[in-house]
Amino acid sequence: MASREQFSSRLGFVMAAAGSAVGLGNIWGFPTQTASNGGAAFVLVYFIMAFCLAYPALMAELIIGRHARANIVTALRGIAPNKPLRLAGTAVGLYGTLVASLILSFYGIVAGWMLAYLLESITAMFGWTGFSEWLLSFGLTRNLLFMGLFMLLTMGIIASGIAAGIERWSTRLMPLLLVIMVSLIVYVMTQKGALEGLKVYLLPDLEQIHPQLILDAMGQAFFSLSLGVGTMLVYGSYLSNEASLPRLGAAVTLVDAGIAFIAGLLIIPAIYVAKEHGANIFDASGELIAGPDLIFQVLPALFDSMGQVGLLVAFAFFTLMSIAALTSSISMLEVPVALATEETPASRRQATLVIGGLVFACSSLILLNFDTLFGFIITLTTVYSQPLLGLMLCVFAGWVWHRNSLLQAIQAGHPNIENTLFWKIWPHYVKYLCPVLILTTLVRSLTS
Ligand code: TRP
């Protein structure tokens, strides 16, 4: 077997994994879910979910991935002790790979909109009104074109491999993302109305904690940490044996939750600044507008009302969104590409081209049947499949995999792990608590 590529450093891995985790889910999903779910009450439940449920599941993926040094299918098959379980491993792995590709196919559409709005902030600076209007109109051609452009960017990075593609671009883009975000927050905070938004964001309304909120928080935590579909598993498979997985996993979880929290400091106050500028921020039922209209109507209206500065702010904001989307989309595409390069004779370039083409076709299909397919695919993949797959991965780590080899796998890079709190708690956690919690939440949502 040809030697397998690796991340060149631990920092490189953290940047890549955090790049995967930090995406539209953090900057858009988290703040808006918070706004429509009782403010800080959601933040609270979300943090509990992220550290108590998503972090252990993330660890399961990282440990399996680094031990197997393979894609999700080969890895799950590899840790199974007998034939029926090997079959089950293959099935779960394929399901995960399919879900990763489907997530990419709707994510690429949304990311394409971000690119279109980014370009519009430039055409508006030049006063090209006709072009700008086209970029902002929800047309099939525009949607196809920018989704395709975004897919090409994603494919370009993935075709370059781990260190020269994923790691290099994540390490460049993540610091930039943070700088843009902090600058935007500083600017928004100086505007009238920001404080009102800050209150909505940070004062909990504990009466709002109900089963649906808990399910939403769990789904958000799984989506935000890119769990269940083998993304983190395959990133883990490119980690050296010297790295301590529990520490790196904790770092990634912290960065992800931290950036989601910081994004809330930007988006929610910005919504209330928009209100101050005369924008309508509530929908017909009195709820805060949270869906696409928030990003593509409310905030652009705000930027417009700011005059010349607004163009710059819009440019910064949509750059931020595009970067966040790109470092995430590459991690989704890596899942099927790793499978194809490891299980077929295809080279990385060939696999990227073929799979990228298939995902493009799938996205096009969604765009052609937007009203029926878009929401459906999102719910199917993120609300149901991801927690379900997370559950299965916990079962594989906790029940299927032999405990001794599991211990050996974490001992690499963390020799005294047996004496740590992590080893005392985590194995039982993924074995019993995580599956039960995930299952309960899922069943409740299906029956409520
Ligand atoms: N976590 C990213 C976000 O918050 C999205 C993402 C990347 C993802 N890879 C994933 C989601 C795999 C689910 C599965 O936007």
Side-chain angles (χ1 to χ4, degrees):
M1 213 173 87
S3 80
R4 218 159 167 276
E5 256 205 277
Q6 282 195 0
F7 288 112
S8 69
S9 69
R10 279 165 231 188
L11 182 69
F13 164 80
V14 173
M15 287 289 183
S20 166
V22 173
L24 301 176
N26 298 60
I27 303 179
W28 176 0
F30 177 77
T32 54
Q33 291 238 32
T34 304
S36 51
N37 268 313
F42 184 82
V43 179
L44 197 72
V45 178
Y46 174 78
F47 272 72
I48 297 175
M49 284 290 171
F51 286 97
C52 299
L53 206 57
Y55 170 66
L58 169 69
M59 287 314 301
E61 280 204 39
L62 292 180
I63 294 169
I64 296 176
R66 189 182 62 178
H67 165 80
R69 299 227 166 274
N71 64 82
I72 182 170
V73 176
T74 318
L76 292 183
R77 196 196 301 142
I79 59 172
N82 56 41
K83 200 154 179 218
L85 283 173
R86 270 198 289 280
L87 219 62
T90 308
V92 172
L94 286 174
Y95 178 32
T97 309
L98 180 70
V99 173
S101 315
L102 284 177
I103 291 178
L104 178 56
S105 66
F106 81 73
Y107 207 81
I109 294 175
V110 180
W113 297 337
M114 300 298 167
L115 288 183
Y117 274 69
L118 172 59
L119 188 60
E120 197 273 337
S121 71
I122 300 172
T123 58
M125 286 180 205
F126 288 101
W128 297 339
T129 329
F131 195 10
S132 287
E133 268 169 25
W134 177 75
L135 286 170
L136 299 186
S137 66
F138 194 85
L140 185 63
T141 325
R142 182 208 69 169
N143 286 345
L144 278 172
L145 211 67
F146 283 90
M147 176 272 288
L149 183 65
F150 183 79
M151 285 304 176
L152 282 179
L153 288 174
T154 306
M155 288 160 68
I157 297 179
I158 286 302
S160 311
I162 310 310
I166 295 175
E167 181 176 347
R168 172 191 284 163
W169 283 99
S170 304
T171 321
R172 281 181 187 167
L173 293 176
M174 290 306 287
L176 186 60
L177 176 138
L178 198 63
V179 170
I180 298 179
M181 189 142 83
V182 171
S183 319
L184 280 172
I185 292 175
V186 170
Y187 179 73
V188 166
M189 284 303 164
T190 63
Q191 303 293 304
K192 217 167 148 227
L195 276 182
E196 195 187 343
L198 212 54
K199 275 192 204 137
V200 173
Y201 183 46
L202 296 178
L203 297 180
D205 175 2
L206 294 178
E207 275 175 17
Q208 294 233 18
I209 300 188
H210 44 73
Q212 188 58 40
L213 181 147
I214 297 174
L215 179 78
D216 285 349
M218 180 177 86
Q220 177 64 28
F222 270 85
F223 185 80
S224 192
L225 269 178
S226 314
L227 292 181
V229 302
T231 302
M232 288 302 181
L233 192 151
V234 81
Y235 274 20
S237 79
Y238 302 125
L239 250 177
S240 91
N241 275 336
E242 274 90 65
S244 158
L245 293 178
R247 281 197 203 118
L248 290 185
V252 173
T253 311
L254 264 175
V255 173
D256 182 53
I259 294 208
F261 183 75
I262 296 179
L265 296 175
L266 170 65
I267 302 291
I268 315 271
I271 297 177
Y272 282 82
V273 176
K275 180 171 157 234
E276 204 62 41
H277 282 244
N280 185 15
I281 64 167
F282 298 103
D283 63 17
S285 58
E287 297 269 328
L288 216 51
I289 294 176
D293 280 355
L294 168 67
I295 302 290
F296 301 113
Q297 306 272 331
V298 178
L299 295 185
L302 170 64
F303 304 149
D304 274 350
S305 67
M306 292 173 165
Q308 286 305 103
V309 194
L311 292 177
L312 215 67
V313 177
F315 177 75
F317 179 73
F318 288 108
T319 307
L320 172 74
M321 293 302 238
S322 305
I323 291 176
L326 190 60
T327 53
S328 295
S329 64
I330 53 178
S331 74
M332 301 171 196
L333 185 57
E334 181 60 21
V335 174
V337 167
L339 173 65
T341 51
E342 284 160 16
E343 294 284 313
T344 73
S347 69
R348 175 166 276 275
R349 279 174 166 272
Q350 290 163 335
T352 307
L353 206 64
V354 172
I355 294 165
L358 285 173
V359 174
F360 175 80
C362 195
S363 299
S364 307
L365 208 68
I366 298 177
L367 280 174
L368 286 167
N369 304 280
F370 192 80
D371 293 337
T372 32
L373 285 184
F374 186 68
F376 172 73
I377 299 276
I378 294 182
T379 310
L380 188 72
T381 52
T382 64
V383 181
Y384 297 109
S385 298
Q386 264 191 290
L388 201 63
L389 279 158
L391 170 82
M392 292 173 186
L393 285 170
C394 286
V395 169
F396 263 84
W399 295 89
V400 175
W401 200 3
H402 196 274
R403 197 177 143 94
N404 284 342
S405 16
L406 176 67
L407 177 59
Q408 269 173 12
I410 331 183
Q411 263 171 342
H414 206 136
N416 63 345
I417 192 85
E418 246 181 312
N419 307 318
T420 61
L421 203 59
F422 183 84
W423 182 253
K424 294 201 178 87
I425 298 178
W426 179 80
H428 311 284
Y429 214 87
V430 281
K431 198 163 176 178
Y432 304 103
L433 206 61
C434 285
V436 171
L437 283 178
I438 298 175
L439 207 63
T440 322
T441 324
L442 269 176
V443 170
R444 282 202 75 146
S445 78
L446 286 174
T447 51
S448 67

